[in-house]
Amino acid sequence: MRRLLSLAALLLSIDPTEAEVVDDLAQCSDFFLFGTPPEIQGILEDGKILEQNRYKPICQTLDYMRTFVTLYDTANKIPVFSAYRYHRTDPNICRPKLKNNPRNKKQRKYQWKIEPQLENIQDNVNMKPSHDTMRHQAGNSNYSGCGNLGYSRGHLLPCSYGNTEHEKNSTFTLTNIVPQREKFNQGSWRNMEECVKCLLDEYCIDNNGKTEGYLVIGAQPGETRLNDAVNIPSILWSAFCCYSHSRDKWLASAYWGENRDDDDRSLQMKTLAQLHDELRTPVEAFPQVQCPRNTTETFQNLPSLHCKHLQPL
């Protein structure tokens, strides 16, 4: 009996957080609309990763439950994109979950995890606290002093989109993070995230009364690096698509912004076709599905005052 109790205590003490590097994005297809991943010229075409030694798909998993998917660039040490299937969420402010005293500064760095399988595919699938030096991904030390330089750890998939506390916590991995200008992150980009959430909650309700939308959020690499290690993206972009019972049609829109300080300005709603044409590396966020490429809507009667920031096309 004592051995059984000791074993149970040991199992409960193990941090069950995990993520898994997989061979093919098809293994994470639940997070793509109709299982179809985006098309990114020269990187991901016809569902195939062209440089498999560089670009690694990660089925982001927490407590043995997959929550979203990331395609990670091990050369630039930033994600290419993160994709997610959205459901209506609670509005609670996100904070990374700490096991002990959140005021302990020494513990704060362990809020962020890394993917050990990016360093050694034979390693354990469980996420673990960041090491100071790694070859194929960013660690906490790579973001050291970023605030003094005007940068923050910018989520691609934001914590606020998580349907549960479990999903929110899973976004705090450095494989879902890019160096983002603080004023951009807390200004127009944050406003856009809040407004997209409003749109999803209001209009992306299917014939069964279920809120569901699909998001792909990505970054285009820039010409400079943070601490000579992590690429600083030049542009961040976001796209969503869903079926709307109230509109009896498929809805889609896209947004992008330059990774620079802004004056809390609004990002303008664009079409998927415009997103494709604007980016230096063309992106088809939702290829070969019903999502309209060339049209979007002026959404009226938005359900949150935050959506006043949204500037429709």
Side-chain angles (χ1 to χ4, degrees), residues 90-107:
D90 69 55
N92 292 335
I93 296 174
C94 292
R95 291 289 183 270
K97 187 175 182 180
L98 288 176
K99 288 186 174 180
N100 297 309
N101 184 0
R103 296 182 180 179
N104 187 328
K105 293 183 179 179
K106 291 184 179 180
Q107 290 180 9

Side-chain angles (χ1 to χ4, degrees), residues 63 78 98 100 110 144 157 183-184 186 189 241 269 289:
D63 294 339
I78 58 172
L98 288 176
N100 297 309
Y110 296 113
S144 176
L157 175 63
K183 290 183 178 179
F184 177 40
Q186 296 300 319
W189 190 255
C241 181
M269 181 187 295
V289 294

Side-chain angles (χ1 to χ4, degrees), residues 238-253:
S238 177
F240 82 85
C241 181
C242 70
Y243 176 75
S244 173
H245 173 71
S246 64
R247 298 296 179 97
D248 191 25
K249 64 175 65 175
W250 286 84
L251 307 177
S253 64

Side-chain angles (χ1 to χ4, degrees), residues 39-270:
E39 295 269 326
I40 303 179
Q41 190 176 89
I43 297 175
L44 178 61
E45 299 179 3
D46 296 323
K48 299 184 183 301
I49 299 170
L50 302 187
E51 294 184 56
Q52 295 186 5
N53 290 330
R54 174 175 178 175
Y55 300 104
K56 300 295 184 179
I58 304 172
C59 296
Q60 304 282 12
T61 312
L62 178 63
D63 294 339
Y64 307 102
M65 295 175 60
R66 291 178 175 177
T67 54
F68 66 103
V69 58
T70 297
L71 183 63
Y72 193 78
D73 181 348
T74 61
N76 283 320
K77 297 186 176 182
I78 58 172
V80 178
F81 67 80
S82 288
Y84 179 63
R85 183 175 59 192
Y86 178 91
H87 302 286
R88 183 178 288 273
T89 69
D90 69 55
N92 292 335
I93 296 174
C94 292
R95 291 289 183 270
K97 187 175 182 180
L98 288 176
K99 288 186 174 180
N100 297 309
N101 184 0
R103 296 182 180 179
N104 187 328
K105 293 183 179 179
K106 291 184 179 180
Q107 290 180 9
R108 286 185 181 179
K109 67 179 181 179
Y110 296 113
Q111 297 171 359
W112 296 94
K113 302 285 189 178
I114 55 91
E115 173 48 62
Q117 289 189 340
L118 288 178
E119 305 304 315
N120 178 4
I121 195 61
Q122 302 300 322
D123 207 333
N124 192 282
V125 298
N126 295 311
M127 285 181 188
K128 61 184 179 183
S130 170
H131 294 303
D132 289 337
T133 303
M134 286 173 290
R135 293 184 59 193
H136 304 300
Q137 64 189 302
N140 270 316
S141 61
N142 299 130
Y143 283 89
S144 176
C146 67
N148 296 329
L149 299 173
Y151 290 95
S152 62
R153 305 181 194 210
H155 284 69
L156 289 192
L157 175 63
C159 172
S160 60
Y161 286 11
N163 184 43
T164 62
E165 182 181 5
H166 173 275
E167 290 188 352
K168 294 178 190 296
N169 289 335
S170 73
T171 66
F172 286 90
T173 167
L174 292 173
T175 55
N176 181 47
I177 298 299
V178 299
Q180 187 175 6
R181 293 300 296 179
E182 178 68 24
K183 290 183 178 179
F184 177 40
N185 189 13
Q186 296 300 319
S188 61
W189 190 255
R190 180 177 181 178
N191 293 337
M192 180 276 297
E193 290 176 336
E194 291 176 347
C195 291
V196 168
K197 186 176 185 302
C198 293
L199 299 177
L200 292 165
D201 288 340
E202 177 74 4
Y203 298 108
C204 295
I205 302 173
D206 64 19
N207 293 333
N208 297 316
K210 179 181 179 181
T211 302
E212 183 173 87
Y214 288 81
L215 298 124
V216 184
I217 306 161
Q220 295 261 293
E223 301 298 327
T224 58
R225 289 180 179 263
L226 179 66
N227 292 327
D228 297 321
V230 183
N231 186 278
I232 300 174
S234 58
I235 290 176
L236 272 64
W237 57 270
S238 177
F240 82 85
C241 181
C242 70
Y243 176 75
S244 173
H245 173 71
S246 64
R247 298 296 179 97
D248 191 25
K249 64 175 65 175
W250 286 84
L251 307 177
S253 64
Y255 311 82
W256 64 83
E258 295 183 15
N259 190 14
R260 64 184 184 183
D261 290 340
D262 63 28
D263 54 0
D264 203 33
R265 68 188 187 279
S266 300
L267 298 179
Q268 189 178 55
M269 181 187 295
K270 300 289 188 178

Side-chain angles (χ1 to χ4, degrees), residues 1-15:
M1 178 63 71
R2 288 182 178 179
R3 290 182 179 180
L4 289 175
L5 291 174
S6 297
L7 177 59
L10 176 62
L11 291 174
L12 289 172
S13 69
I14 296 174
D15 184 354

